[in-house]
Amino acid sequence: MIEIPDELAATQSRFNGAAGRAFVAALPDLAARLLERWGLRPDGPSMYGMCALVLPVVREADGRPAALKLQAVDEETAGEPVALRAWSAAGAGAVELLGHDPESGALLLERLDERRPLSGEADVREAVKVLSSVLARLVAVPAPEGLRTLGGVAERMLAEAPERVGLLADAADRRLLADCAAAVREVAGEPGDRLLHWDLHYDNILAGRADAGRAGEWIALDPKPLAGDPGFELFPALDNLFDADEVVWRFDALTEALGLDRERARAWTLGRVLQNGLWGAGEGEVRLAPDHAEIARRLLGR
């Protein structure tokens, strides 16, 4: 039997309703089936995030440590195995995919050192530089066919913006989100074609393991991939470990490391503020998240 964390069950119920509860209820049987099929044995307590349960395992055939990721498949996660294969083929520094069950969406991944996330780096500026280096390798890879596209994301955001911006209670928030929409409108015609991670924050980069020959490496995991402009990748590094006075420094460091046009990158980063603001308004939030609003103000020079 595997233990299902209460927090995962609550999150799935809140955001996915009956489908989320069905996903959680099916996890024990799914785990048992995949442990048997792939010849795995459990190797420690489970871990979890917003939408996935991760079981540390060992492959019985060769004793290799691995991680069995059980997740609900949706538009954001469906392309994960495609992206991981593309990055692996290019040697781009993402977690290695060892197996994929198309029926359930489960992934068997190389085991990283979960005790050493990049968020634990004492010098946050050094962590930003490491993230920049990891991100530069990821976005150097062209996006494979069939992934969701930033063009489609931008089109939906701009269509939703007029109605949802009006749901915000504060006039300053409405003006700020309208300015974010205007910035996206300027660049939406050239959405880009790079393979994007979308969620590369400091907890989604872990140290490699010496027993896998990856000691000293920082490795990206848990992508929500899409095809688009690398400027759309910068927001998580500004928002995670948030420091208002460091927003512009981090933004400049990221754009320089990736060789991005600063104005285009600013527009796409404001697009992430727009995306989050529209999501929040659609869920009944009447104010922008303070950190997100501050990022937008700093990038707009206010």
Side-chain angles (χ1 to χ4, degrees):
M1 293 293 293
I2 62 168
E3 182 179 349
I4 308 298
D6 292 340
E7 294 87 348
L8 176 62
T11 299
Q12 283 293 317
S13 181
R14 176 185 174 191
F15 290 106
N16 296 323
R21 290 188 288 275
F23 165 71
V24 170
L27 284 174
D29 287 345
L30 175 61
R33 175 165 59 85
L34 293 176
L35 288 170
E36 181 178 4
R37 178 194 298 177
W38 283 333
L40 309 171
R41 58 176 172 82
D43 187 40
S46 61
M47 297 167 283
Y48 65 94
M50 289 284 290
C51 61
L53 182 69
V54 178
L55 305 177
V57 296
V58 171
R59 292 198 306 199
E60 294 178 336
D62 59 7
R64 179 174 182 177
L68 178 59
K69 182 178 182 181
L70 310 176
Q71 65 183 354
V73 178
D74 57 21
E75 180 189 40
E76 291 184 358
T77 61
E80 185 171 356
V82 176
L84 293 179
R85 290 189 186 105
W87 282 322
S88 180
V95 66
E96 183 183 357
L97 178 65
L98 305 176
H100 173 226
D101 177 43
E103 181 182 352
S104 67
L107 306 174
L108 185 63
L109 305 168
E110 72 168 299
R111 181 103 63 91
L112 303 177
D113 189 349
E114 70 277 1
R115 301 165 300 174
R116 292 188 58 208
L118 184 56
S119 60
E121 170 64 48
D123 184 342
V124 177
R125 286 197 170 189
E126 182 60 31
V128 173
K129 293 175 183 177
V130 170
L131 186 147
S132 299
S133 176
V134 172
L135 186 54
R137 295 175 67 188
L138 298 179
V139 301
V141 178
E145 294 292 331
L147 293 179
R148 63 189 179 124
T149 67
L150 180 53
V153 171
E155 184 178 351
R156 288 193 296 274
M157 288 195 297
L158 294 175
E160 293 172 354
E163 178 182 354
R164 292 197 178 181
V165 168
L167 299 175
L168 298 177
D170 183 77
D173 281 352
R174 293 196 296 271
R175 287 193 297 271
L176 194 59
L177 211 58
D179 287 343
C180 290
V184 172
R185 204 169 286 115
E186 291 294 319
V187 294
E190 297 181 80
D193 64 354
R194 300 289 91 186
L195 180 52
L196 307 186
H197 183 290
W198 186 84
D199 195 27
L200 195 68
H201 55 74
Y202 307 98
D203 280 321
N204 274 344
I205 299 176
L206 299 181
R209 292 169 58 102
D211 58 12
R214 301 189 78 170
E217 292 187 48
W218 289 104
I219 300 168
L221 73 161
D222 201 23
K224 308 292 187 291
L226 73 161
D229 189 300
F232 203 60
E233 291 277 58
L234 309 186
F235 177 84
L238 307 180
D239 186 47
N240 191 224
L241 304 180
F242 180 72
D243 182 336
D245 292 333
E246 290 287 282
V247 166
V248 174
W249 183 89
R250 292 187 196 182
F251 178 79
D252 288 344
L254 288 159
T255 53
E256 181 177 356
L258 273 66
L260 303 181
D261 178 90
R262 194 176 188 279
E263 291 308 306
R264 287 186 59 81
R266 182 178 72 158
W268 283 122
T269 304
L270 293 173
R272 293 294 292 268
V273 177
L274 175 66
Q275 186 177 53
N276 287 314
L278 297 178
W279 279 343
E283 293 294 320
E285 300 290 337
V286 296
R287 292 297 307 269
L288 293 179
D291 293 359
H292 300 181
E294 186 63 20
I295 289 170
R297 284 192 290 266
R298 297 275 174 153
L299 294 185
L300 289 165
R302 298 178 186 170

